[in-house]
Amino acid sequence: MFGKKIVIVDYDMGNTYSISNSLEFLGYRSSVSRDYDEIKDADALILPGVGSFYEAMQKIKFFGLKEILRDSALVDKKPILGICLGMQIMAQNGEESGVSEGLGFFDASVKLLDVKSNPLPHVGFNSIEVLKKEPLFTKIDSDTHFYFDHSFEMVCNEDIVGSITLYEKEIVASVQKDNIFATQFHPEKSQTSGLKLLRGFLNYMESYNA
Amino acid sequence: MLKKRLIATIIVKNNLAVQSIGFNRYLPIGKPEIAAEFLNEWGIDEIALIDIDASKKSSLISLDLVKKVAGKIFTPLSVGGGINSIESAKKVFESGADKIILNSALDDDVLVQDLIKYFGKQAIVASIDVKKENSKYMIYDYKSKQTTIELKQRLSSLDIAEVLLNSVDRDGSKNSYDIELYKEALRYTNLPIIALGGAKNPLCMRELLDNVDKISAVGAGNFFHYSEHSVAISKMFLKKDKLRAIRHDGVLQYKDIEFDNDIRIKKQDDEVLKDMIFEKHIKESI
């Protein structure tokens, strides 16, 4: 297989196997890497992540990834997709285990989900409402289910919100700005709907430089 | 709205998926990865893969097996079996697990705290086996085959992602879920609880969902493995009479079907079946 180079950024947080497995299903080969040159060379990046905001940012700094990720997203303007914690660390800051600074792709902050009568984490399949159809939700309608598993939420301006979900209150389910996309849910764990969303991202990547 | 999950367990012994009855009899089902592939296609919400021999033998669940299973599904995978260190947990995550399931390791507070610190509590599921003794729910240690502490004691001190609460008395019994157990457990903890043990058919699932409001997920092993399209049919059944919070948006819809008293699908009229022969099904391209 030839074609675009997709790098799943490996910063030691979470399950990268299921993402590469999903991409393979869709006909794309990807590499899991934290190598500077490989990230620099990539046509698109996927930022996975499971765990805590603080821990994730520590790892990103430890592996020296902060600059290259910022450059890729903001200067080179590569298509980049953050998933779950990978979305959260794209905010300015997060307050999981103390306030820490994020990658700052979005003018947003990450706060503990403030729910009263429901348990945390917010875990399971929840339906979403699509606010921005293109490019992620091209083949997906509102009320489609995606798999969520998180205790913190992104708080941001409405203009970057791509979809929302309800868990006692409205929660941001995805955000997007220019070449940067991120989902709070796990498309790689959301069966057919998730694969369609990844297809949306891949199609965006394909048409991006053309 | 958040949906109630249907979770299938794949119990593994000697790398083979087995049916478990009362924690002491086991019947072979087949290759775990094949079972997982079917469950995924039938629309399962989550899969729990558990090697029940690993801890006893002080070994770890086969990583090759975890990879094989993870490669066949696009749904969350929890994995248990002999995880007793950061290192072993790391290997299991790297093989494709989304969460790890701890059972005997729960006794080791230091280890649990270390695992939480390293992987986050959202990645850790407590699997708790319970046996009723003198009308009290007690933790059952499957290795020594004895009960230890009270359920209340264990639940009130837990701070992880969720609890897989398995009734030993109901395991493989087809006597339906122990409704009282889940009601009681939810008085001791706010954590999401997955009920397991005793599912005979979707009627048991309906009974559980309608009686235990706060239950987060309905688990079953044997039932899901032994009948064709079990997951899709269960979901249809649970949505048929009332709008229950269930995700049922897969290809296998089973609209317009009738159930008999044993919750098996009634045979359709000959006319309907005849028409079906000429229905064209185009595979959806993603």
Side-chain angles (χ1 to χ4, degrees):
Chain A
M1 253 181 286
F2 301 100
K4 304 272 179 175
K5 284 192 216 105
I6 305 168
V7 171
I8 301 167
V9 182
D10 178 18
Y11 57 108
D12 226 4
M13 299 289 279
N15 187 353
T16 52
Y17 181 79
S18 48
I19 299 174
S20 52
N21 189 40
S22 300
L23 295 177
E24 197 182 310
F25 180 88
L26 296 168
Y28 285 85
R29 193 173 281 179
S30 57
S31 60
V32 178
S33 172
R34 61 174 79 112
D35 180 70
Y36 182 92
D37 293 330
E38 219 169 322
I39 294 175
K40 188 83 193 158
D41 268 359
D43 294 298
L45 300 176
I46 294 185
L47 205 54
V50 174
S52 91
F53 191 106
Y54 173 79
E55 197 73 26
M57 285 314 294
Q58 289 297 106
K59 288 268 169 65
I60 285 194
K61 282 176 202 157
F62 177 77
F63 294 125
L65 291 169
K66 199 173 171 185
E67 285 310 305
I68 179 72
L69 288 178
R70 276 190 69 97
D71 283 355
S72 302
L74 303 173
V75 182
D76 301 340
K77 293 199 171 290
K78 287 180 186 172
I80 177 167
L81 174 68
I83 296 173
C84 196
L85 183 64
M87 153 168 163
Q88 298 190 346
I89 56 171
M90 289 180 170
Q92 297 285 0
N93 56 64
E95 58 179 36
E96 195 170 355
S97 21
V99 178
S100 43
E101 198 186 315
L103 292 168
F105 297 171
F106 294 113
D107 186 12
S109 56
V110 173
K111 293 187 159 63
L112 184 70
L113 244 176
D114 178 27
V115 288
K116 305 256 158 13
S117 53
N118 285 290
L120 284 183
H122 167 222
V123 56
F125 281 89
N126 205 335
S127 47
I128 58 154
E129 189 187 327
V130 177
L131 304 179
K132 290 191 173 70
K133 196 85 179 148
E134 303 292 334
L136 297 187
F137 299 100
T138 315
K139 287 180 165 186
I140 297 164
D141 297 322
S142 282
D143 285 334
T144 302
H145 292 97
F146 286 95
Y147 185 79
F148 289 81
D149 190 0
H150 63 120
S151 298
F152 287 77
E153 62 167 332
M154 188 178 263
V155 181
C156 61
N157 259 333
E158 254 176 63
D159 58 327
I160 59 166
V161 179
S163 64
I164 53 168
T165 187
L166 265 182
Y167 188 58
E168 208 177 292
K169 58 171 205 155
E170 278 184 8
I171 300 171
V172 175
S174 71
V175 285
Q176 59 188 77
K177 193 178 86 184
D178 307 325
N179 55 314
I180 311 171
F181 306 91
T183 63
Q184 180 61 68
F185 51 81
H186 289 271
E188 79 283 14
K189 297 280 147 196
S190 302
Q191 299 197 318
T192 310
S193 326
L195 293 168
K196 284 183 186 169
L197 183 134
L198 291 172
R199 177 67 80 197
F201 177 71
L202 294 167
N203 285 346
Y204 174 82
M205 171 192 77
E206 287 292 354
S207 63
Y208 190 67
N209 293 322
Chain B
M1 183 176 47
L2 185 69
K3 303 300 185 286
K4 307 282 183 183
R5 287 166 290 162
L6 261 54
I7 298 183
T9 54
I10 301 178
I11 304 295
V12 176
K13 225 174 143 57
N14 299 322
N15 288 337
L16 210 64
V18 295
Q19 173 184 10
S20 159
I21 301 163
F23 273 52
N24 58 34
R25 276 208 313 131
Y26 302 97
L27 301 168
I29 291 173
K31 285 188 181 171
E33 65 271 27
I34 307 266
E37 189 176 8
F38 278 121
L39 290 164
N40 181 65
E41 292 210 345
W42 298 345
I44 199 74
D45 294 320
E46 218 168 304
I47 290 175
L49 178 73
I50 304 169
D51 185 328
I52 49 170
D53 278 343
S55 270
K56 282 187 216 165
K57 293 182 185 162
S58 306
S59 63
L60 185 63
I61 184 169
S62 155
L63 297 172
D64 186 47
L65 180 67
V66 177
K67 267 188 202 157
K68 274 188 194 156
V69 169
K72 296 281 189 198
I73 63 174
F74 300 105
T75 192
L77 176 67
S78 307
V79 177
I83 298 164
N84 59 7
S85 63
I86 301 257
E87 272 314 298
S88 57
K90 213 167 165 220
K91 282 182 198 159
V92 171
F93 281 120
E94 280 167 4
S95 305
D98 300 292
K99 299 176 206 174
I100 51 169
I101 302 175
L102 304 180
N103 189 316
S104 26
L106 290 172
D107 291 328
D108 185 347
D109 285 335
V110 179
L111 174 65
V112 175
Q113 286 314 312
D114 281 353
L115 289 169
I116 289 173
K117 219 175 140 197
Y118 202 92
F119 303 104
K121 63 181 179 184
Q122 83 295 326
I124 296 166
V125 179
S127 160
I128 299 180
D129 305 321
V130 177
K131 213 170 160 51
K132 204 170 189 178
E133 243 177 27
N134 307 322
S135 69
K136 267 189 185 149
Y137 288 111
M138 306 291 290
I139 305 294
Y140 177 79
D141 176 10
Y142 71 96
K143 286 188 202 162
S144 64
K145 296 195 181 291
Q146 275 171 359
T147 53
T148 54
I149 54 172
E150 272 187 58
L151 174 66
K152 185 180 180 177
Q153 203 183 333
R154 168 125 301 162
L155 283 182
S156 51
S157 61
L158 271 184
D159 188 23
I160 38 90
E162 47 188 346
V163 181
L164 177 66
L165 201 53
N166 192 3
S167 164
V168 177
D169 307 311
R170 303 289 173 108
D171 181 50
S173 72
K174 299 187 183 172
N175 285 336
S176 197
Y177 295 95
D178 186 346
I179 304 278
E180 283 315 307
L181 166 63
Y182 302 106
K183 279 190 177 167
E184 189 169 322
L186 282 158
R187 282 199 284 272
Y188 307 139
T189 180
N190 288 322
L191 295 173
I193 289 185
I194 305 159
L196 184 63
K200 181 190 177 192
N201 57 35
L203 202 61
C204 307
M205 300 177 185
R206 188 168 84 180
E207 189 191 353
L208 177 76
L209 289 171
D210 288 354
N211 285 289
V212 190
D213 208 26
K214 285 193 162 173
I215 201 82
S216 170
V218 184
N222 307 338
F223 167 70
F224 282 142
H225 296 298
Y226 277 114
S227 64
E228 184 83 12
H229 293 178
S230 54
V231 183
I233 293 167
S234 299
K235 288 185 167 185
M236 185 67 235
F237 178 78
L238 293 172
K239 294 200 85 160
K240 208 170 167 64
D241 63 323
K242 193 172 125 186
L243 210 63
R244 289 187 186 80
I246 298 287
R247 177 184 73 111
H248 183 46
D249 52 12
V251 191
L252 301 167
Q253 276 295 318
Y254 280 97
K255 277 178 194 152
D256 310 319
I257 52 166
E258 299 292 328
F259 295 93
D260 68 10
N261 291 336
D262 293 323
I263 323 300
R264 281 189 302 226
I265 300 173
K266 275 190 185 164
K267 186 179 174 290
Q268 305 262 25
D269 286 339
D270 285 347
E271 281 304 306
V272 178
L273 291 175
K274 224 160 82 190
D275 287 345
M276 281 166 91
I277 300 173
F278 300 105
E279 266 177 38
K280 195 173 177 185
H281 291 270
I282 301 162
K283 207 176 172 205
E284 188 186 24
S285 69
I286 300 168

